[in-house]
Amino acid sequence: MAEIIQKDGTWAFDGDTLRIVPGSDKSVGLLRRTLGEIAVPLRAVAGIAYEAGRKSGRLRLRLRDGADPLLQVTGGKLPDGSDPYVLAVETRTSGVAEYLVDEIRNALLLDEVPDGPVDAYLLPGPALPMTVGAGDGTVTFDGRTVRLEWTWHTDDKKTAAGPVALPLDDLTGVVWQPARGLSDGYLRFITTPHAPRLSPAHDPMAVELNGFKKDPLMALLASAVVARLPHPHAPAGELAAAPKALESAPAAPAAEDHDVLLRRLRELGEMHRGGVLTDEEFTAAKQAVLKRL
C-alpha cells in the first residue's frame, strides 16, 4: 500500500485501485467535497506526475480519455481547487509523493495498461437524485429526466414558458462552461446538435453561471447526465455506456474477439456496482453481451 496524507486530501494505492479522499482544508473546493471519495481503477489511469514547487508541490493524475464523465464534461477547465485529480503536497513530504508516483507507474507497466482512449466510462457519475441551484436556475436530475426551474432574477424570456422538463432520451449532449473574467459561464442541455444557440441568459435549456461558489456543482450534475448518455467513443453497433442505449444488440460474427466481450461484461458489472446502471438495465445489457459470446 502506498499512501500520502495531506491537508488537501489523501491518496492511497493498493496495486489495483487509487482511492482519492478530499481533505478538510479551506483550499478544497465545494465540488471535491461534494463528490467525496473516488475509487479510480488502475486501467483508467493514463499517467501520474509529481510537480515540485518552491513552497509546495502537486500530484497530478491523468486519466485515459473517456474514462471519467466528469472530465468529459469539464475538459481541463476545472481550477486545481476543484479538480479531484490534483493534490497539493507539502514540500517535506515530496519523497512520499514520488514513491506513490513510482508505485503507480510500475503497476501500469506490469499490467500493460494502455494510455489511449476507452469506449466506456470506467468511473460512475455522482449518486442520484441530484439537485443543484446556481446562477439563474436550479437543475434536478433523477436518472431519467432533467428538470430546470428558474429563480427570481432569471430573464423573463426564460421564465415565460415555466419550468422545463427534458427526458434523458431526448438529449444528445451537455455543455458546461465556467465563468471567465467578465464573461458568464453556463450549463446547456442539447437536444438538436445543429440548432442555433441563444445566449444562456435567454436560453430556456441553459443555466447562466456567474462565477460564484456553487457554480462548479453544475459540472458535477452535468457529469451525472453524461454518464448516462452514449459514450462518445463507443464502437458503432455496440452498446453505449448509458441506459438509453441498453437495447438488444444484433448477433455478432462468430469471429468476434471474446476477450473484448468479456471486458465489456466486467465494465458493465463495475457500472452496476457504482450505481450507473439499475438492476434491470444491467440485466438487459448483460444478456445482450452473453448472446454474442
Side-chain angles (χ1 to χ4, degrees):
M1 170 76 75
E3 183 179 53
I4 183 168
I5 302 173
Q6 301 290 292
K7 293 180 180 179
D8 199 32
T10 299
W11 288 16
F13 179 61
D14 63 6
D16 295 313
T17 303
L18 176 63
R19 298 195 176 276
I20 297 175
V21 181
S24 56
D25 191 70
K26 62 181 181 180
S27 64
V28 178
L30 182 59
L31 184 152
R32 286 172 59 192
R33 296 200 301 270
T34 303
L35 184 58
E37 180 177 338
I38 306 173
V40 182
L42 181 64
R43 62 194 183 91
V45 177
I48 184 171
Y50 173 65
E51 303 167 352
R54 182 178 301 176
K55 295 183 178 180
S56 65
R58 278 199 174 16
L59 273 172
R60 199 176 294 274
L61 187 71
R62 185 168 57 89
L63 299 190
R64 297 170 65 186
D65 182 21
D68 182 8
L70 177 61
L71 296 185
Q72 192 69 33
V73 167
T74 56
K77 293 176 286 190
L78 283 176
D80 284 355
S82 296
D83 191 334
Y85 303 115
V86 176
L87 179 71
V89 177
E90 298 174 16
T91 302
R92 63 184 178 83
T93 56
S94 61
V96 181
E98 291 170 347
Y99 173 71
L100 179 69
V101 167
D102 288 341
E103 287 293 293
I104 293 177
R105 286 178 176 173
N106 289 337
L108 290 170
L109 289 173
L110 288 172
D111 285 15
E112 298 181 340
V113 177
D115 61 1
V118 295
D119 59 9
Y121 292 118
L122 304 182
L123 286 90
L128 297 178
M130 188 176 187
T131 299
V132 176
D136 66 352
T138 296
V139 185
T140 299
F141 181 52
D142 60 6
R144 297 184 181 279
T145 304
V146 174
R147 302 182 188 279
L148 294 85
E149 298 182 352
W150 311 116
T151 63
W152 62 271
H153 59 85
T154 307
D155 185 91
D156 290 345
K157 292 181 180 179
K158 291 169 74 167
T159 59
V164 176
L166 302 171
L168 184 66
D169 287 350
D170 290 350
L171 294 178
T172 60
V174 184
V175 179
W176 173 81
Q177 176 67 46
R180 296 286 192 217
L182 298 177
S183 299
D184 289 333
Y186 59 86
L187 172 65
R188 174 176 279 130
F189 298 95
I190 300 172
T191 56
T192 305
H194 304 296
R197 298 284 177 258
L198 299 175
S199 162
H202 303 144
D203 188 350
M205 294 174 59
V207 174
E208 185 180 42
L209 305 175
N210 311 117
F212 295 114
K213 183 177 179 181
K214 290 187 177 181
D215 280 10
L217 293 185
M218 283 296 187
L220 202 57
L221 187 141
S223 73
V225 177
V226 165
R228 290 157 177 82
L229 293 176
H231 193 281
H233 304 321
E238 287 202 11
L239 287 173
K244 67 180 292 185
L246 296 177
E247 306 172 3
S248 297
E256 184 167 6
D257 189 346
H258 281 206
D259 288 341
V260 173
L261 296 177
L262 290 174
R263 186 177 71 246
R264 175 69 69 183
L265 284 175
R266 289 194 295 270
E267 291 169 351
L268 290 171
E270 290 176 1
M271 294 177 68
H272 179 231
R273 289 190 294 273
V276 173
L277 302 180
T278 65
D279 292 343
E280 293 79 9
E281 292 164 348
F282 171 65
T283 300
K286 182 176 70 174
Q287 289 175 350
V289 176
L290 288 175
K291 286 180 182 179
R292 300 163 68 178
L293 278 170

